Amino acid sequence: AIEALPIGEVFQMVALQNLTGVMEIEGPRLTARVFLSKGKIDLSRLDGGEGNFRLGNYLIQQDLASPQEIDRLAEQPDGSGAPLGERLIRLGLIGREDLRRALERQASDIFYEVLRWSHGVYRFRPQVQPAEASTAALAIPVSGLLMEGYRRVDEWRLIEREIKSFDEVYQQNPAAIADL
């Protein structure tokens, strides 16, 4: 359980031992799967939630695809079972390096999100390496992600202390802005 041994420490151990497999983390209404090869992250997936961590969002943020293109492709599977990124490459809408950058951002963001979780359970399944993870082969070092992830977790704790409810809508205060 994350409460007994923080997930960041577990990832550090997996990286130091150069393990290959999948780390499955079940958190609050979400399940993350982080695929590792020789202690480095090859691919990450997050199930549940609002879809903020979907590949299409990263492609849209990088102006590589429009929301309409992503929605159209998601609604009309091509029958091959190919992942969205591969389908976009085949259609000539993005390049292989574009896909790699989007997958790296997605994997990093999922990792940072998981580090924030204070409750949940995890299990490491050794030698599980699906073809999609082997193809992506991002090889992201865990150590750099841990450093940035812990920095972000600290910032989130400060933010959560100041903002009592994320449903609140704040208005600009012209006098306070002028004082700055």
Side-chain angles (χ1 to χ4, degrees):
I2 292 174
E3 300 86 355
L5 184 61
I7 192 67
E9 293 179 30
V10 175
F11 272 114
Q12 189 170 25
M13 181 183 65
V14 168
L16 288 172
Q17 294 184 13
N18 291 322
L19 298 179
T20 297
V22 61
M23 179 73 72
E24 294 175 341
I25 308 106
E26 293 178 24
R29 299 176 312 278
L30 300 170
T31 300
R33 291 186 321 277
V34 179
F35 301 95
L36 299 112
S37 177
K38 297 180 183 169
K40 295 182 178 175
I41 297 175
D42 278 344
L43 190 67
S44 295
R45 292 285 173 249
L46 188 67
D47 299 325
E50 297 94 38
N52 297 335
F53 297 95
R54 293 183 192 262
L55 178 63
N57 289 344
Y58 293 94
L59 296 169
I60 292 166
Q61 287 171 13
Q62 295 174 3
D63 291 327
L64 297 171
S66 71
Q68 295 79 16
E69 289 170 321
I70 298 297
D71 289 344
R72 183 176 46 85
L73 285 171
E75 290 170 4
Q76 299 173 344
D78 67 352
S80 70
L84 175 66
E86 292 299 322
R87 290 171 48 203
L88 288 165
I89 289 172
R90 269 190 276 162
L91 292 170
L93 297 174
I94 65 172
R96 179 108 4 232
E97 191 55 35
D98 297 326
L99 176 59
R100 181 176 184 79
R101 278 193 303 276
L103 288 172
E104 284 175 351
R105 286 200 50 219
Q106 179 188 44
S108 298
D109 286 352
I110 290 171
F111 187 87
Y112 301 145
E113 176 66 18
V114 167
L115 284 182
R116 288 185 50 225
W117 297 354
S118 56
H119 302 289
V121 295
Y122 50 82
R123 69 185 148 278
F124 182 75
R125 296 186 359 205
Q127 303 306 321
V128 173
Q129 189 80 15
E132 188 180 5
S134 298
T135 300
L138 300 174
I140 303 170
V142 169
S143 58
L145 290 179
L146 278 171
M147 297 270 292
E148 174 64 13
Y150 284 140
R151 184 190 68 75
R152 289 181 182 209
V153 167
D154 287 343
E155 286 180 358
W156 262 110
R157 289 195 178 117
L158 291 172
I159 291 168
E160 287 171 337
R161 235 186 334 216
E162 295 297 320
I163 298 175
K164 302 303 178 211
S165 170
F166 288 100
D167 293 329
E168 293 178 10
V169 177
Y170 295 92
Q171 296 178 347
Q172 287 186 355
N173 181 341
I177 293 171
D179 288 344
L180 290 175

